[in-house]
Amino acid sequence: MINWLQHETGGLLTLSAISIALLLIMIIRYKVEPFIALLIAGLLVALAAGLPVETLVGSAQKASGSLLEGGFGGILGHIASIIGLGTLLGAILEASGGAQVLTGSLLRAFGEKRAPLAMGLAGLIFGVPVFFDIGIFVLAPLVYVAAKQGGKSIVLYAMPLLAGLSVMHAFMPPHPGPVAAAGLLKVGLGWIIIMGLACAIPAWFVGGILYSTWIGKRINVPVPEEMLAAAEEARGDDEVENPPSLGLVLGIIAIPLVLILAGTFGSILLAKGSRLYGVFTFFGTPAVALTIAVLLATWLLGYRRGMTRDQLTELTGKSLRPVGMILLVVGAGGFFGAVLSATGVGKVLATSLSDMGLPVIALAYVISCGMRIAQGSATVAIVTTTGIVAPVVADLDYSQPQLALLVMSIAAGSIIASHVNDGGFWIVSRYFGLSVKETLQTWTVLETVLSVVGFIMAAGLSLVV
């Protein structure tokens, strides 16, 4: 039995299935923190697979070459600075009043009749540097006011905004999910940005514009007066003196994206070893590009607009607190994937999929959907799925664009069917005054539309790259 479990195809596949089931049981049934559940599942699978203890945890004298430290350190060394810097950039943009400037400018440009489109674009643009829930907290009051002025259902204005925030959070750096997946699959963030935009924008248009317009006319939810009162009070309390210009806000958001893309294309078009190649490579490194953006934001949106050193220090500390748990989950996911790779499960899965004729990109999407529906967190779904899939693609000789599209498939699956086990479901319900039934009819369906369209784009592009 033990020999079959550790060396035979059926046994290794069974071991993989048991590990995933154990992981879900710990998270869903016993409410174990995801990073602890990933750590426990990885250790138990490694022991069941017969991996030597020295390979798994090292020795008292040296642990640096172990799966435990290598799995954690290998991924965290790549992504910790990117996620931390991205979080700081979003926090400074939000505190400076950049969100209000962006949304106000779009609403004036598009007018009252196209206010839902303006809200959707605001979510799409502001969603690049800002986490999903922070985007809701900041922009929800503007949705209340726009819906009241338009005299229509709040659903018509909220869903486009949510669609923009959601697709950026799922598909685009510097958000934790795509950054972690890129690190685990060793794909450059420039390709993630290119393929992320190629998948996110069509998904946003179909879900955030077409579907949201359709459902917004069928579910009428007026803006509660207490929300309007709270929004007006918040606008009064949070009014930013001398707010930044729209061009400055857009420029700071665009700087890291442009630099990273320049580094990606520079590595393809320029001669290796040339001075220009070195310049593009240096400034296109994600950590360098984001550092430049953060420094510019700190000076142009912070100090020059009256923020004190103490205020910026407090803002930095507050914004970075949630990052710790995210990094622990990602690190544990890296360890879990390293264990699966060391057991040989990846090669067995790759062979089985090849025999079945099932594309890896479809498998990745299905696994990610299952993880998302089962436990609710998009980031956990991405990290866990990538850990499972990484050993499968290790020997398949995928190009960088193909790996980026695989990440997009996993990201698409991670946002499907948000329901009652997802914190985002309750944030949407609370902030926009929707009942559970109305949230299921609007937000849950919207997330599913975004997921399916995103996957269709990734799968379609995978046929031509």
Side-chain angles (χ1 to χ4, degrees):
M1 177 67 181
I2 294 178
N3 183 71
W4 174 79
L5 194 67
Q6 295 177 352
H7 301 289
E8 299 295 328
T9 298
L12 287 169
L13 291 174
T14 300
L15 186 62
S16 176
I18 291 172
S19 69
I20 295 169
L22 176 64
L23 186 63
L24 291 175
I25 289 170
M26 284 191 286
I27 294 173
I28 298 168
R29 176 69 178 84
Y30 295 103
K31 309 299 181 186
V32 178
E33 283 290 344
F35 94 89
I36 297 176
L38 282 162
L39 185 60
I40 293 171
L43 290 170
L44 292 178
V45 169
L47 294 174
L51 293 179
V53 172
E54 292 80 7
T55 301
L56 179 60
V57 297
S59 64
Q61 289 75 32
K62 183 181 179 182
S64 57
S66 67
L67 285 174
L68 183 59
E69 288 204 5
F72 264 87
I75 181 62
L76 290 182
H78 177 75
I79 71 156
S81 59
I82 298 171
I83 293 175
L85 289 164
T87 302
L88 286 177
L89 179 60
I92 295 170
L93 280 163
E94 180 263 313
S96 70
Q100 288 79 359
V101 168
L102 174 63
T103 308
S105 299
L106 289 170
L107 286 170
R108 287 191 297 273
F110 284 90
E112 189 175 300
K113 289 185 178 180
R114 294 187 179 87
L117 176 60
M119 297 307 304
L121 285 170
L124 200 65
I125 298 169
F126 197 63
V128 173
V130 172
F131 284 179
F132 175 78
D133 51 354
I134 301 299
I136 295 178
F137 302 156
V138 174
L139 297 175
L142 301 172
V143 173
Y144 307 154
V145 175
K148 181 66 175 179
Q149 290 175 348
K152 298 175 182 177
S153 172
I154 195 173
V155 172
L156 187 64
Y157 299 83
M159 292 302 126
L161 170 73
L162 294 170
L165 292 172
S166 180
V167 294
M168 290 295 103
H169 188 78
F171 292 108
M172 286 288 287
H175 292 285
V179 170
L184 289 167
L185 293 178
K186 297 178 174 59
V187 54
L189 285 190
W191 286 110
I192 297 293
I193 292 171
I194 294 168
M195 298 307 179
L197 291 172
C199 295
I201 292 176
W204 166 80
F205 180 76
V206 174
I209 303 303
L210 300 182
Y211 169 73
S212 296
T213 300
W214 181 83
I215 195 67
K217 293 177 180 178
R218 285 159 176 79
I219 296 181
N220 184 27
V221 180
V223 185
E225 289 301 322
E226 62 269 21
M227 286 185 174
L228 278 171
E232 292 297 336
E233 183 180 344
R235 290 174 77 192
D237 292 344
D238 299 335
E239 193 70 33
V240 177
E241 294 183 8
N242 189 27
S245 68
L246 176 63
L248 180 59
V249 173
L250 292 177
I252 289 176
I253 291 174
I255 281 170
L257 301 182
V258 171
L259 288 175
I260 292 169
L261 287 174
T264 298
F265 286 112
S267 66
I268 297 171
L269 301 174
L270 299 173
K272 289 188 177 181
S274 67
R275 180 169 296 181
L276 198 58
Y277 177 89
V279 170
F280 273 68
T281 300
F282 177 78
F283 287 103
T285 300
V288 175
L290 281 164
T291 298
I292 292 170
V294 168
L295 290 175
L296 287 172
T298 301
W299 173 249
L300 296 173
L301 300 178
Y303 290 128
R304 278 190 61 182
R305 298 189 175 278
M307 283 192 192
T308 65
R309 186 173 299 174
D310 289 340
Q311 287 174 323
L312 279 168
T313 300
E314 183 181 355
L315 176 65
T316 299
K318 184 178 178 181
S319 65
L320 288 178
R321 284 185 200 117
V323 172
M325 184 58 71
I326 293 170
L327 293 178
L328 286 172
V329 171
V330 172
F335 166 64
F336 184 65
V339 167
L340 291 182
S341 180
T343 61
V345 167
K347 290 184 179 180
V348 168
L349 276 173
T351 303
S352 301
L353 289 172
S354 178
D355 293 341
M356 293 168 57
L358 183 65
V360 174
I361 197 167
L363 172 76
Y365 178 69
V366 170
I367 294 174
S368 184
C369 287
M371 289 289 176
R372 159 66 165 192
I373 293 169
Q375 52 76 43
S377 168
T379 302
V380 171
I382 291 175
V383 170
T384 306
T385 303
T386 309
I388 294 167
V389 171
V392 178
V393 300
D395 300 320
L396 294 182
D397 197 29
Y398 275 18
S399 66
Q400 286 285 293
Q402 288 172 324
L403 288 171
L405 287 170
L406 183 61
V407 172
M408 293 305 106
S409 174
I410 294 169
S414 77
I415 56 173
I416 198 169
S418 169
H419 61 97
V420 294
N421 67 354
D422 175 21
F425 178 93
W426 298 107
I427 292 174
V428 170
S429 175
R430 172 191 168 195
Y431 269 79
F432 299 110
L434 304 175
S435 67
V436 170
K437 180 181 178 182
E438 289 166 341
T439 310
L440 288 168
Q441 291 173 321
T442 56
W443 165 246
T444 302
V445 177
L446 171 64
E447 285 283 82
T448 303
V449 172
L450 298 175
S451 171
V452 172
V453 176
F455 171 67
I456 289 172
M457 291 301 302
L461 288 169
S462 71
L463 300 176
V464 297
V465 298

